[in-house]
Amino acid sequence: MTGQDLTDDSHVVRYAKPTLVREDGSVGGEAFQLRLQESSLSINWLECFKGFSKRQQLAEVRRLSRLQMRRNGRLAELHVGNTKQYVLGELDSLRFVHKLVAAEGRYEADPSHSEISGLPPADSPEAELIGDVIAECIQAVYPAW
């Protein structure tokens, strides 16, 4: 399925580093904005881990991550179809695409790796707006570590 759009009934999580986590533990729109030189945002597709409970899916995401997830970081969960529908009034180019990451060096392959593409460019008013709109779609927030 690599390179294909995730189905609308899929769920994904996005890591938010501690500086993007609010005092109340929620995740703001900054976590869904591109940085300079980025063309997409990394996410993880939970249903990739078939037959696993939510807790097991999250454990696999943490285990396979190549990011240094911090204790105060969070994993923000989105429902793909609901998010695309909600954002549609502001942006019709939003895509959730499966992009498996191959094994490399000490890292195992990550079959859950996916991307959000079609976002506005970094440091634009549109990026801030869309980031905030996506953040309104967060279904749950979990500890990253």
Side-chain angles (χ1 to χ4, degrees), residues 1-144:
M1 180 170 167
T2 276
Q4 295 181 358
D5 286 1
L6 297 178
T7 59
D8 283 350
D9 61 344
S10 297
H11 296 83
V12 298
V13 290
R14 166 98 172 131
Y15 174 67
K17 61 186 180 179
T19 58
L20 300 179
V21 178
R22 297 176 177 155
E23 284 186 28
D24 66 0
S26 65
V27 175
E30 301 85 7
F32 299 98
Q33 294 177 33
L34 295 173
R35 293 177 293 196
L36 295 175
Q37 309 305 319
E38 284 184 329
S39 60
S40 62
L41 296 178
S42 289
I43 53 174
N44 294 88
W45 174 38
L46 296 179
E47 283 82 8
C48 169
F49 304 111
K50 294 181 186 346
F52 285 35
S53 68
K54 178 73 57 113
R55 189 172 129 180
Q56 291 169 320
Q57 291 170 334
L58 294 169
E60 282 298 288
V61 167
R62 292 178 188 112
R63 185 180 73 77
L64 294 170
S65 179
R66 296 180 187 193
L67 297 173
Q68 178 71 35
M69 290 192 188
R70 305 270 185 221
R71 181 176 304 277
N72 293 332
R74 296 289 183 267
L75 292 171
E77 181 179 353
L78 298 171
H79 182 275
V80 171
N82 291 350
T83 303
K84 287 176 11 186
Q85 187 64 37
Y86 192 71
V87 173
L88 190 58
E90 301 293 337
L91 181 73
D92 63 0
S93 60
L94 191 69
R95 293 181 61 206
F96 291 77
V97 181
H98 186 225
K99 296 276 189 165
L100 174 132
V101 174
E104 182 180 339
R106 65 182 178 99
Y107 296 107
E108 290 181 47
D110 184 352
S112 71
H113 184 267
S114 301
E115 297 177 349
I116 300 175
S117 63
L119 292 163
D123 293 334
S124 67
E126 295 83 11
E128 186 174 334
L129 170 68
I130 297 303
D132 289 344
V133 171
I134 292 172
E136 291 174 13
C137 297
I138 295 173
Q139 290 191 318
V141 177
Y142 307 98

